[in-house]
Amino acid sequence: MRSSHASLRPQAPAGAVPVARAAATGTAPAAAGVGAAPAAGSGPILVLNSLDANVSVIDPATFGEIRRLPTGKEPHHLYLTPDEKSVVVANALSDSLTFIDPATGLVQRVVTDIIDPYHLRFSPDMKWFVTAANRLNHIDLYRWQPANAAQPLALVKRVPASRTPSHLSIDSRSTVIYSSMQDSDELMAIDIATQTPRWKINIGKMPADVFLTADDRTLLVALTGDEFVECYDVSGAQPRLVKRIKTAAGAHAFRARGDRRHLFVSNRVANTISLIDTHTLTVVEHYPAPGGPDCMEMLNDGRTLLVTSRWARKLTFIDITRREVVRQVPVGKSPHGVWTLAHAGRI
C-alpha cells in the first residue's frame, strides 16, 4: 500500500496505448566511501525506499549499505524477470520500471511509458507482465518480449478497476489474475486469455496483499483495515468465503515460508508477524516486528525473515527459530519492497 500523501495525476488520454520503451543506463555512482559490488553469485539485499526514490543495496555479509541506486518516484514493489536476469522495480509516480542486476545490485536499464505501476507480476508461463495502477484505477496486461531490447513490454489491454487496485496474484496455469481493491473493499478476477473480468465481489476492510496456495484453490487476502485474513475458495465459477483468520491489527503483506505450507503475514498496526498454516487455515506462530512491518523476504537459511519496517526507516532481521529481532539495518524513507537472490521458495 502506498503512502497516504501520494499525489494524483491525470490519466493518459482515452484510447491512448502507451508503448513501453527501454533506455540503457550507466552504472549508478556509489555513495562516497562505499565499496565495490558483492562477488558474483552472492547477491545483495535490495530495499525500496519509497519516499527517497531509490534502492538501498545491502551487503548480506557485513550488513552495510553498499550504495543507493536512484529510481523513479515512489518505488513500491519489485519482481524477478522470468529469465532471472533482472529484478524489476516499479516506479509508480514516474511511470517507469528500473531493471537491476540481482547478482551485482547495479542498474541495467530503465523502461518508460508504464502508467502508474504500483504492484507487478509476471505470469508463470513467462508470456505476460501485469501491473496494478494504484492511483489511476486500472490493471494493465503487457506482452513480455525479452528479445526486443527497444520494446520489451507491449500493452495489450487496460482493464478498468474499482478504487485503488492494490496487490496482484496469478495462478500457476497463467489463466487468471486476482487483484484487491483497497479503497472499495473489493476483490476481482481477470481472465488472461480474454483480458476481461471474470467476477468481482465485496470483501473486508481495506484489502491489500493476496496469496494463492500452491494448488490454485485458496486465495488469501490480508485486510489492512482490520485484523483478519480472509480465505476464498476460487476453484469454482464464483469465489466462496471459507474462513476469516484472526491475525492482528493491520494485516497487510504475505511471504511464503518456502515449505509449500506456511505463510507469513505482516500486521502493520500491531507490529507483529503471524505464521499461517495454509492446510488448516490457522495461525500457528507470532513474531515481534517493530516499526510498521510491511514487505518480507525469507532467506534460504530457513530461519531468517527480512522485514521492511516502514515507519522506522529500517530493514529488520527476525530469527524465526528464536522468535526475536536479531538485527536492524538503517535504510531510507518509507522502506517497502525487499528482495535477494538468497531467498527461500516462493510457495
Side-chain angles (χ1 to χ4, degrees), residues 328-343:
Q328 288 190 301
V329 176
V331 289
K333 295 178 183 177
S334 193
H336 203 169
V338 56
W339 193 91
T340 182
L341 272 176
H343 63 74

Side-chain angles (χ1 to χ4, degrees), residues 294-313:
D294 204 302
C295 293
M296 297 168 284
E297 177 70 297
M298 183 68 193
L299 298 189
N300 56 12
D301 64 1
R303 65 184 295 168
T304 306
L305 182 68
L306 309 183
V307 185
T308 51
S309 296
R310 197 77 182 270
W311 317 133
R313 302 186 185 184

Side-chain angles (χ1 to χ4, degrees), residues 227-229 243-248 267 274 281-283 286:
E227 55 184 5
F228 292 93
V229 168
K243 191 167 185 180
R244 281 165 55 91
I245 305 170
K246 186 175 181 179
T247 59
N267 304 306
S274 299
L281 299 180
T282 58
V283 173
H286 293 284

